[in-house]
Amino acid sequence: MTTETATLGGGCFWCLEAVYQELRGILHVESGYTGGHVANPTYEQVCDGDTGHAEVVRLEFDPAQVSYREILEIFFTIHDPTTLNRQGNDVGTQYRSVIYYHTPEQHDIAKQVIACMASVWDAPIVTELSSAETYYKAEDYHQNYFRQHPLQGYCAFVVAPKVAKFRKMFTDRLNAPA
């Protein structure tokens, strides 16, 4: 099986991770940091906003089951790509909307999807499009966060509604129940 990698930032990585874990064709989801200038940043450093990193998810996917285009179309429905350096109450460059492409083909597809999505949103899309940079896996306690802490405040009030929206809009794309 041939797999591909996608790296996306759309606010807090817990939200993106929780959604993509439920998408058929996604083989692995990992929360991490990229796009900054500090080697091996910690969560606290990234949250301070001084490292230049974005909170991201790195997806390993099977393109025979889910296309990169589909992954991006979902990305644009589960976060607001029109708010610069912010998602809800999360404010700072670490929460920017960004697509880190891994191949020239991903770059071209991302440009096409951004252009298509421009007609869907009422405000201009501010999503950055950048070449994939050095990626750092987030601390273990950030991995599978929503699955492990569904009743935690942020998860219950921010992550859960995004997951519910995804489930409703993309019912036909959900993983089969285990």
Side-chain angles (χ1 to χ4, degrees):
M1 169 179 39
T2 302
T3 64
E4 293 183 28
T5 301
T7 305
L8 306 170
C12 176
F13 44 36
W14 298 340
C15 294
L16 296 179
E17 177 190 66
V19 166
Y20 285 113
Q21 285 177 328
E22 296 195 6
L23 179 61
R24 187 178 333 117
I26 300 294
L27 307 173
H28 182 71
V29 181
E30 184 175 276
S31 292
Y33 318 109
T34 195
H37 57 271
V38 173
N40 300 305
T42 65
Y43 179 67
E44 290 75 21
Q45 288 174 311
V46 172
C47 283
D48 285 345
D50 297 328
T51 68
H53 290 89
E55 287 192 14
V56 297
V57 290
R58 180 182 244 179
L59 312 173
E60 181 184 354
F61 66 98
D62 177 356
Q65 293 185 56
V66 62
S67 72
Y68 185 67
R69 179 179 299 279
E70 290 171 307
I71 289 169
L72 294 183
E73 288 169 350
I74 291 166
F75 173 70
F76 281 105
T77 64
I78 58 173
H79 86 292
D80 182 348
T82 68
T83 55
L84 187 62
N85 300 328
R86 136 177 247 140
Q87 286 297 305
N89 290 329
D90 294 329
V91 179
T93 58
Q94 66 271 32
Y95 303 114
R96 64 189 175 269
S97 176
V98 58
I99 299 167
Y100 289 99
Y101 60 89
H102 293 264
T103 66
E105 293 79 20
Q106 284 187 355
H107 173 269
D108 294 345
I109 291 168
K111 283 186 75 165
Q112 293 167 9
V113 172
I114 290 169
C116 288
M117 290 294 149
S119 65
V120 173
W121 290 88
D122 292 335
I125 291 178
V126 297
T127 302
E128 295 176 19
L129 181 57
S130 299
S131 178
E133 300 182 27
T134 302
Y135 167 85
Y136 301 96
K137 179 181 176 183
E139 295 82 353
D140 287 343
Y141 68 92
H142 288 295
Q143 309 305 322
N144 298 303
Y145 196 85
F146 179 66
R147 286 182 176 172
Q148 295 178 29
H149 309 282
L151 301 179
Q152 185 263 3
Y154 187 91
C155 289
F157 294 103
V158 178
V159 182
K162 290 184 183 223
V163 171
K165 177 181 179 181
F166 166 74
R167 288 175 180 161
K168 183 177 179 181
M169 292 182 69
F170 298 97
T171 304
D172 62 327
R173 305 296 304 143
L174 295 174
N175 281 320

